[in-house]
């Protein structure tokens, strides 16, 4: 099981955020909210620094337009970073696009569409509809945050962590989408302690 945080803990700069958690997590999820000339230039300026860190990466593709998500996916597929997964929201027309092999579709609060690689946001599911059981074998990445029953991305709560236990398998990527460094790293340590109690090979 590999544990990670998002790249938005102290602002948008991927490199500053990655340096903050290096040595404390296995990977960082790079949040790419759009893809234009400005964003591409920023990312390009951070790549060498990111590659030099003792970290791997996942990618959250843009959520604004399918065309932007594809352009970002194609850029990162060849950028040289040690990339583990690419998460895509089910944007309009996503099925008509040839995605890189690392693409995994994510469930939203109000929608879950099938793909053979899946990023399961457990908190989205808790706030909406449960993920169908036949999706479960296709999950490659788990997104976790706390919820008060109305909103997500809160500090991790006991109920959400308990609901996550069946998915914490040895090969799972687990990303804590909590946008505060102290709360995110506390969640990482709670998951690591659970794994250690189970013998260090995941809980599922």
């Amino acid at each position: 099981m590999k544990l990670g945080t998002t790249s938005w803990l102290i602002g948008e700069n991927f490199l500053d955020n990655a340096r903050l958690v290096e040595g404390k997590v296995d990977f960082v999820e790079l949040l790419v909210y759009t893809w234009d000339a400005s964003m591409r230039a920023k990312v390009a300026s951070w790549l060498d620094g990111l590659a030099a860190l003792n970290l791997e990466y996942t990618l959250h593709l843009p959520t604004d337009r399918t065309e932007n998500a594809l352009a970002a996916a194609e850029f990162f597929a060849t950028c040289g970073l040690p990339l583990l997964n690419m998460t895509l929201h089910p944007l309009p027309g996503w099925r008509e696009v040839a995605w890189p092999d690392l693409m995994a579709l994510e469930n939203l609060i109000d929608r879950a569409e099938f793909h053979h690689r899946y990023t399961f946001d457990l908190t989205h599911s808790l706030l909406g509809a449960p993920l169908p059981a036949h999706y479960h074998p296709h999950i490659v990445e788990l997104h976790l945050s706390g919820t008060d029953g109305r909103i997500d991305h809160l500090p991790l709560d006991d109920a959400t962590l308990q609901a996550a236990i069946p998915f914490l398998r040895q090969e799972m990527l687990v990303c804590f989408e909590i946008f505060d460094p102290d709360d995110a790293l506390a969640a990482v340590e709670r998951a690591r302690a659970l794994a250690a109690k189970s013998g260090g090979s995941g809980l599922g």
Side-chain angles (χ1 to χ4, degrees):
M1 188 169 66
K2 293 184 177 182
L3 304 176
T5 62
T6 78
S7 65
W8 196 293
L9 299 172
I10 52 170
E12 75 164 356
N13 186 299
F14 291 175
L15 186 53
D16 288 347
N17 285 274
R19 285 171 172 158
L20 180 68
V21 298
E22 184 185 19
K24 302 171 184 175
V25 300
D26 303 302
F27 69 92
V28 170
E29 177 195 38
L30 305 177
L31 294 177
V32 184
Y33 47 87
T34 191
W35 195 251
D36 54 20
S38 173
M39 189 65 186
R40 181 181 177 122
K42 289 178 186 177
V43 170
S45 74
W46 300 327
L47 285 179
D48 287 346
L50 292 170
L53 299 178
N54 185 26
L55 285 167
E56 295 178 290
Y57 300 94
T58 62
L59 180 65
H60 199 303
L61 293 165
T63 59
D64 54 353
R65 296 174 57 202
T66 300
E67 296 84 353
N68 288 341
L70 179 61
E74 291 174 339
F75 174 90
F76 278 92
T78 59
C79 75
L81 287 181
L83 201 62
L84 301 168
N85 192 40
M86 298 181 181
T87 293
L88 175 72
H89 282 189
L91 294 165
W94 74 268
R95 293 183 185 276
E96 283 70 58
V97 172
W99 297 98
D101 290 342
L102 282 180
M103 188 276 274
L105 199 67
E106 183 175 21
N107 61 303
L108 305 182
I109 292 173
D110 62 348
R111 186 161 75 260
E113 299 182 30
F114 183 74
H115 185 62
H116 70 277
R117 298 185 81 253
Y118 219 82
T119 294
F120 178 36
D121 191 308
L122 175 61
T123 319
H124 287 172
S125 182
L126 294 174
L127 291 171
L131 194 72
H134 69 276
Y135 286 36
H136 291 187
H138 301 274
I139 298 170
V140 296
E141 183 171 348
L142 182 68
H143 287 179
L144 292 178
S145 64
T147 177
D148 61 3
R150 297 178 297 110
I151 59 173
D152 53 1
H153 304 301
L154 299 177
L156 186 64
D157 58 275
D158 290 339
T160 301
L161 183 57
Q162 289 301 309
I165 287 176
F167 302 97
L168 300 182
R169 302 189 298 268
Q170 182 176 3
E171 69 278 11
M172 188 66 69
L173 303 171
V174 182
C175 181
F176 294 94
E177 291 192 324
I178 301 168
F179 305 123
D180 174 90
D182 293 334
D183 291 336
L185 290 173
V188 168
E189 288 309 308
R190 290 181 70 185
R192 186 170 284 132
L194 270 178
K197 285 178 64 176
S198 73
S201 59
L203 303 172

